[in-house]
Amino acid sequence: MTKVDIISGFLGAGKTTFIKKLIHEVFTGEKLVLIENEFGEIGIDGGFLKDAGIEITEMNSGCICCTLVGDFSKALQKVIAEYHPDRVLIEPSGVGKLSDVSRAVEDVKKDADIEIAGRITVVDGKKAGMYLKNFGEFFEDQVKHASAIVVSRTQMMTDEKIEECVQMLRKENAKAAIISTQWEELGKEAVMHALERRTEIGELLETHHGHEECHEHGHDHHHHHGEGGCCGHGHHHEQHHHHADEVFTSWGKETAHKYTEEELDYIVKALSETEAYGTILRAKGIIAMEDGTWKQFDLVPEEHEIRNSQADYTGLLCVIGTDLKEEELLKLFHI
């Protein structure tokens, strides 16, 4: 039987780093397959895993729900049939619902010998309160349906703030194991002990909504979400469940522009520290610099990171958020 672990996390939470730890320290010796579902027109993450001999199936088309009832099921069955893995790691989009992903995996059981070993949500401890307030429906879903919650960036938090964060998460999910210890201090046994804790599958289905709904939405990721939409008050919508493509917009472009250090510094600060280009949840890119080097940037609200990168076939950009000002973004990136 193939074990399936679903590793979710709101945008920029650090789930890619945690997946690296699982691959290199926890699931060593197991034959692994990673399935990604990236919300965005251009997939930028994932290259590091090819060096570790991990097979990757990237699915960049459609909203999370439509992808799940379409090619997700086929992709999961295909990798199991072709690679016969001991374990499949599924990394949903940062704005996907863990309940949808779990349900989709359950649906594959009739066609494949699999079991859900863990439903893991990685939470940015420093931003959990802000995400819960501003994007309640999507953030709550990932927390409530987890069998284990991993709090990231605790090394940057006081003990008091960590306790506050854990208490807040515990109110949303009374049964999940919550990992708040700094990751580098955790051994394989401690991680496995937390991940193997389960919640009843029946709880996953309490918020069930028909998969047919998702096909009413187009795939261009530019949907108006009306007054009082999820972006400000998602936790007030008990009667209507939203899909990612109703609320979030993804903007992805290729660019051959060569950037100066000053231009790049201005771009990441403008996107992470202001709302001049919409409400930015996440932005990332690989770009060529004027001096012949390549840089990779990654940002979430109020924080950004720039690091050296290998050259790609062209520059790649992806911005995810709400009410994105696309014409302004084109000007910002000199496209």
Side-chain angles (χ1 to χ4, degrees):
M1 178 175 288
T2 299
K3 294 181 178 179
V4 177
D5 288 284
I6 305 162
I7 304 140
S8 69
F10 214 55
L11 296 163
K15 64 179 174 179
T16 300
T17 305
F18 187 68
I19 288 172
K20 283 184 183 180
K21 183 176 181 69
L22 292 179
I23 290 170
H24 295 296
E25 299 178 29
V26 180
F27 298 142
T28 50
E30 295 189 35
K31 189 174 183 182
L32 299 175
V33 168
L34 173 71
I35 295 180
E36 292 184 318
N37 183 289
E38 188 70 18
F39 182 92
E41 296 169 37
I42 296 178
I44 293 174
D45 296 329
F48 73 92
L49 290 163
K50 291 171 184 170
D51 299 332
I54 308 299
E55 299 288 343
I56 295 179
T57 301
E58 285 193 299
M59 297 176 294
N60 290 332
S61 58
C63 66
I64 186 76
C65 183
C66 293
T67 300
L68 289 177
V69 298
D71 63 303
F72 175 85
S73 174
K74 292 177 184 175
L76 183 53
Q77 292 178 52
K78 182 180 178 183
V79 295
I80 290 170
E82 290 187 8
Y83 301 109
H84 307 288
D86 300 313
R87 189 180 299 267
V88 175
L89 305 180
I90 298 175
E91 181 186 2
S93 156
V95 292
K97 290 187 175 181
L98 181 54
S99 58
D100 284 344
V101 184
S102 300
R103 196 174 301 112
V105 175
E106 287 290 323
D107 289 344
V108 176
K109 276 188 173 181
K110 63 182 181 294
D111 300 307
D113 189 21
I114 61 172
E115 67 166 347
I116 297 180
R119 295 176 304 280
I120 305 154
T121 293
V122 182
V123 172
D124 182 338
K126 293 182 69 180
K127 291 190 166 55
M130 183 264 284
Y131 286 153
L132 189 61
K133 178 183 177 184
N134 293 334
F135 300 95
E137 183 180 329
F138 289 88
F139 188 71
E140 282 177 15
D141 186 275
Q142 293 190 6
V143 172
K144 284 181 176 178
H145 293 90
S147 58
I149 300 170
V150 182
V151 183
S152 67
R153 310 176 83 186
T154 52
Q155 73 276 15
M156 304 166 69
M157 301 167 64
T158 64
D159 292 344
E160 209 171 69
K161 289 294 183 184
I162 292 172
E163 286 182 30
E164 280 180 25
C165 179
V166 170
Q167 288 172 6
M168 181 186 69
L169 296 171
R170 186 57 75 201
K171 285 179 182 177
E172 300 295 328
N173 187 327
K175 295 184 178 181
I178 299 180
I179 300 175
S180 57
T181 306
Q182 293 183 32
W183 297 354
E184 58 267 23
E185 297 177 12
L186 288 174
K188 175 178 179 177
E189 291 74 19
V191 176
M192 287 298 293
H193 180 239
L195 299 189
E196 286 172 356
R197 288 192 41 183
R198 310 283 180 86
T199 53
E200 292 299 317
I201 194 64
E203 293 176 14
L204 292 176
L205 304 178
E206 287 179 358
T207 57
H208 177 73
H209 60 274
H211 283 156
E212 299 81 10
E213 292 178 38
C214 73
H215 295 291
E216 297 169 10
H217 309 304
H219 284 214
D220 60 358
H221 300 297
H222 299 283
H223 293 278
H224 179 65
H225 43 84
E227 293 182 18
C230 281
C231 53
H233 307 280
H235 53 292
H236 292 158
H237 290 268
E238 287 101 4
Q239 302 303 318
H240 178 65
H241 294 282
H242 290 83
H243 298 300
D245 65 336
E246 290 182 280
V247 181
F248 304 100
T249 303
S250 71
W251 179 90
K253 296 292 178 187
E254 295 182 352
T255 176
H257 183 80
K258 289 183 169 57
Y259 297 82
T260 65
E261 294 285 348
E262 291 75 20
E263 284 175 337
L264 179 55
D265 185 63
Y266 180 83
I267 287 168
V268 294
K269 287 180 178 176
L271 294 177
S272 64
E273 298 175 9
T274 79
E275 294 197 354
Y277 301 90
T279 302
I280 308 297
L281 268 175
R282 178 89 185 271
K284 56 187 177 178
I286 299 173
I287 55 174
M289 304 299 289
E290 273 194 351
D291 63 6
T293 63
W294 284 70
K295 298 279 188 183
Q296 185 167 348
F297 68 85
D298 202 329
L299 62 88
V300 293
E302 300 174 5
E303 294 181 37
H304 64 268
E305 178 186 8
I306 298 172
R307 55 190 180 274
N308 295 325
S309 175
Q310 292 183 328
D312 213 322
Y313 70 93
T314 190
L316 301 171
L317 307 167
C318 186
V319 179
I320 302 171
T322 58
D323 301 319
L324 296 185
K325 299 176 182 177
E326 299 189 12
E327 291 299 320
E328 296 302 315
L329 284 169
L330 289 171
K331 294 175 185 175
L332 178 68
F333 283 103
H334 305 281
I335 297 175

